[in-house]
Amino acid sequence: MHCLKLTYKTFRTITRALVLLASLSAALTSTHVLAQEPSVAANQSGQELLDRGHELLLRGSYLAALEVFSQINDEFYQAQAVLGVSQAHMETGQYGLAEAALKREISEPADSPQLATRLAELYVMTGRSQQAEALLASVVAGQLNPPVRTMVQYGLVLRLRGDRDAADEQFNAALARYDNGLVFDSADVAMVAVAARQLDEFHDANALFSEAVRLDSNNMEALVLWGDLFQEKFNDQDAQRNYNEALEINRRYAPALVGLARIESPERNLSRALDANSRSVAAMQTFAELMLRNGREEEGLRFLDQALEINSEHVPALATLAARAVMRDETEEFERLRQRVNAFSPENANFYAAIGDFLGNNYRFTEAVEYARRAIDRDPRNWFAHTVLGGNLVRLGEEDEGKRHLEQAFENDPFNVLTSNMLQVFDVLEEYATLESEHFRVNMSQRDAQILWPYMEPLLENSWDRLVAKYGFEPEVPVVIQVFEQTEDFAVRSVGLPDIGPLVGICFGRVVTLISPDTLSANWQEIVWHELVHVFTLQMTDNRMPRWLSEGISTWEESQGRPEWGRRQGLDLIRAVQQDRLLPVGSLNDGFTGANSDADLSFAYFQSYLVVEYIAEQFGFDSLLALIHEYAGVAEESEMFFNVFGLDMATFDDGFRSWIDQRVADINVYVHAEDSPDEGEGHGHGVRENSSAILAELYNNESLKQYMRGRVQREPRDFQAHLQLGIVLFREDAYQEAISHLRTAHELLPDYTGYPSPALVLAQVYEAMGDRDAQREQLAIMLEHQQHDFSAPMTLAEHALSNDDLEQAAYFIERALAVNPYRPEVHRINAELATRLGDTGLTVQEYEVLLTLDQNDPVAARTNLAQAYLDNRQSDDARMTVLRALETAPTYERAQQILLQAVAEGDN
């Protein structure tokens, strides 16, 4: 009988083999692996197997990689094989198996620095930073020249644990080694880039990541870390490129999928990330943020719980929960979370900065400022916190202090696109005029100050008086309003980035940003009114009101502001009911966050408005006011509704749906499934185009006519068919039959405001027939519900003025000014009206505006203004103005006469 002598070396070899076999067995049971790759040749060397395993890892064939690494028996390659095994497990979320494989191989951490560093990274990923710190400390102490990755990872753990000075020592040591020409490997260069990033050397970090990728274009870790740097600086374009490059190498690389999800197709990319690694904490955290942002709170909290089960020290997840506690006034819960963070990372500045950012994104600007200040108190070098503080101070109207913090952030982090953009807007505002009224401070371009302000100021103050009386509340003053000539400036001032979609105005509670009406085709006065209502409702609730109710009230108030204002989307309502698209009241925010198109977003506004109208009509305005006050506190929405209406949400919803059904029955119009909804810009502010009717205007073909005849025969209440048939017949000069169908369309839906409307086409028909009275009658009918048209009120104003109907002329001129105050003709006719009324002050105002607008004949413009000054007893202004005219045209007799009169009156 022979005995086998089990030496220590033999024991370790057997142990490694058992660990690798166990790893392979566990991987076979995983549901998140790809199909098995073809078997490798039995005679391959250790190096060949190692290369093959790394190739499979690179491609995302993790199961196949495990099989290959398990076949490596050469002692020389064992450490690298275990690193490969651990990476394959970590990429698929098998953290326990990765840990077991690493621990089996490590006897003394300093003797296996790469393995120990990987184990420390795993500890951090699973919420054991204290163990990671101790492990890395032993490696650094036991190595004369520890690996670059070890130093950088040690620095990251020290930073997390609150020892910034010690962390910086490690980062600087890594940079010094690179500066001494001792870093050659792509992976190590990427780690030096991480060190530079942590030391706020962002330019160097960018260059080092570029070098790392140049050295190894397959370095996915470097590509993603580089992309993360870009995304941190709000440079999504370059970040997206990096993530996509990584995914071209390995379509299952979860870190790249998570990064890409923050830019595009979030649910799809996060689902793919979790398919690859079902325990990716970053994917869970990002999914949670998406769910919470979309109002899917239960799902979001479930993702956060799952993330923290894996990594109990994940600061972003803890910050999200803490921010939610702040928003809900849950002081004890916040303190519990704060202490939880302090247990491993005392007074973590990133924790407070993330809370501030979350609060600011949820319109809780005052609290956002508080937590950003806390972050800066803990770490004055946290430039992200300075940006958060500066941005939220600006939204509170504290522009000087906000600008100081933004400048400080930019000086130390000039690559942050958000910070840079916001500062550039300050440069724009420095060129703008600052105008003040009793309750408002307004910034607008010098041009708008001349043209728009004379009409905006009275609108603001009149609206203020009406809303204060109606809501019994006076907001903090001055309310800051900023009107931007350029859409990009408006977007950057509002959200920090130049793309804001179809928004035309945003209210932050104390500050309102607007696009100049000069860039719109919409009733700017209605937009101003809409945003002012937000000022009241947001301040009444300390910005706690949900978006659906805030937008619903402002949209409802449009119809209360003036008879022609408001949104009339009867066809959209019928279509939504037919398609069962109406949301329960408790899910109305989903209509905004889940909108896939401008049309979806427009309908979210419209349904929110309908709920508010239902409340006002069925329960009274006092109940609406009571609901607003409920949102000033903290309670479940169902409790608020019960307190006001005495109904649970389901019963309230049932009542609302019954009311909607009756409304649809009252509209009583047939909507064909083939017809497209009207489309417009500005979230309902502006003309909504009827694309089907526009096509009918462009193409007169017999088949369309016959098709529409068939539709009206089958469904006599088919509004769209009557309208299109009327248009086609009009183009064929079949006026009487066109009139019949157009009148039917109008009778079916008299408040239709899409373009073209039946009344508008009828006006065109009567114009073609030479019946001017009937044309004007139809234009007046159209204007009863259409607030965005300029030409019609001008036509009616000119007619009224020619008939000496000054009251009607004034009304229609006001309607035209509400749409486009930048057209000289509206000011000429208003000046003529003012002259007839003997309103010399208004005459001066109109000619002052015309002097800015009308550059074709500046001599006449100045002469007219001089005469207006003279009539208004402003002889000095008249003299100075007419002298400017005479400089250009010294022989102009009318100007000479005005000068003589001005001099004479001045002498008197």
Side-chain angles (χ1 to χ4, degrees), residues 164-214:
R164 178 163 191 154
D165 291 340
D168 288 354
E169 286 182 18
Q170 297 300 317
F171 297 141
N172 281 312
L175 282 166
R177 189 173 299 180
Y178 175 85
D179 290 340
N180 291 330
L182 300 175
V183 179
F184 312 101
D185 180 69
S186 170
D188 285 345
V189 173
M191 286 298 102
V192 178
V194 171
R197 177 182 177 184
Q198 292 297 318
L199 292 169
D200 298 340
E201 301 291 345
F202 302 113
H203 186 276
D204 289 345
N206 179 61
L208 286 161
F209 279 129
S210 178
E211 181 181 346
V213 172
R214 179 179 58 79

Side-chain angles (χ1 to χ4, degrees), residues 153-453:
Q153 294 298 324
Y154 188 31
L156 292 173
V157 173
L158 289 168
R159 177 71 66 86
L160 176 64
R161 302 283 298 171
D163 193 344
R164 178 163 191 154
D165 291 340
D168 288 354
E169 286 182 18
Q170 297 300 317
F171 297 141
N172 281 312
L175 282 166
R177 189 173 299 180
Y178 175 85
D179 290 340
N180 291 330
L182 300 175
V183 179
F184 312 101
D185 180 69
S186 170
D188 285 345
V189 173
M191 286 298 102
V192 178
V194 171
R197 177 182 177 184
Q198 292 297 318
L199 292 169
D200 298 340
E201 301 291 345
F202 302 113
H203 186 276
D204 289 345
N206 179 61
L208 286 161
F209 279 129
S210 178
E211 181 181 346
V213 172
R214 179 179 58 79
L215 290 170
D216 180 4
S217 60
N218 287 326
N219 188 337
M220 294 185 298
E221 181 184 44
L223 281 167
V224 170
L225 289 171
W226 195 10
D228 292 344
L229 176 63
F230 285 132
Q231 195 171 72
E232 178 187 287
K233 308 307 176 191
F234 298 90
N235 182 351
D236 282 353
Q237 183 177 356
D238 287 332
Q240 184 178 31
R241 182 198 65 224
N242 278 31
Y243 297 139
N244 281 325
E245 285 183 19
L247 291 170
E248 287 175 6
I249 300 165
N250 179 357
R251 62 186 177 86
R252 303 181 68 233
Y253 191 50
L257 289 165
V258 173
L260 192 61
R262 298 191 184 105
I263 300 172
E264 65 176 23
S265 306
E267 291 204 42
R268 181 173 68 87
N269 284 313
L270 290 172
S271 296
R272 289 173 61 198
L274 289 172
D275 283 342
N277 180 354
S278 62
R279 304 185 75 217
S280 167
V281 172
M284 293 174 184
Q285 165 67 23
T286 307
F287 233 138
E289 292 173 357
L290 176 67
M291 296 298 102
L292 293 174
R293 195 162 55 243
N294 290 351
R296 295 157 65 178
E297 191 155 298
E298 186 176 331
E299 294 171 82
L301 293 175
R302 186 165 61 248
F303 274 117
L304 289 175
D305 288 342
Q306 291 172 356
L308 289 169
E309 283 177 10
I310 298 165
N311 182 357
S312 61
E313 297 178 352
H314 191 61
V315 173
L318 292 166
T320 301
L321 289 172
R324 181 176 175 274
V326 172
M327 292 183 66
R328 297 168 62 87
D329 289 347
E330 295 173 349
T331 306
E332 291 183 4
E333 174 65 7
F334 172 80
E335 186 58 26
R336 184 187 71 80
L337 291 162
R338 189 182 73 84
Q339 292 296 342
R340 182 172 171 179
V341 173
N342 283 344
F344 66 88
S345 187
E347 293 300 295
N348 186 301
N350 290 331
F351 173 69
Y352 292 116
I355 293 172
D357 189 45
F358 186 97
L359 292 169
N361 290 336
N362 284 275
Y363 269 52
R364 300 290 287 275
F365 307 120
T366 300
E367 296 97 327
V369 164
E370 175 188 346
Y371 285 94
R373 289 194 196 280
R374 282 201 197 186
I376 293 168
D377 287 344
R378 274 66 177 178
D379 180 8
R381 288 170 50 191
N382 192 313
W383 312 124
F384 173 67
H386 283 281
T387 295
V388 172
L389 178 56
N392 284 288
L393 283 168
V394 167
R395 288 169 181 149
L396 289 172
E398 304 291 336
E399 296 187 355
D400 291 341
E401 186 183 1
K403 183 181 180 183
R404 285 199 299 274
H405 283 282
L406 291 170
E407 287 175 335
Q408 193 170 354
F410 182 74
E411 287 170 7
N412 293 278
D413 182 7
F415 300 98
N416 190 308
V417 174
L418 186 74
T419 312
S420 174
N421 285 343
M422 287 193 285
L423 284 172
Q424 287 176 23
V425 174
F426 278 103
D427 295 336
V428 173
L429 288 171
E430 285 182 4
E431 302 298 321
Y432 277 12
T434 299
L435 305 158
E436 295 187 358
S437 64
E438 184 178 356
H439 300 101
F440 298 90
R441 185 173 77 242
V442 180
N443 304 114
M444 57 175 57
S445 69
Q446 300 294 337
R447 184 170 186 266
D448 273 340
Q450 294 293 322
I451 299 168
L452 183 63
W453 180 243

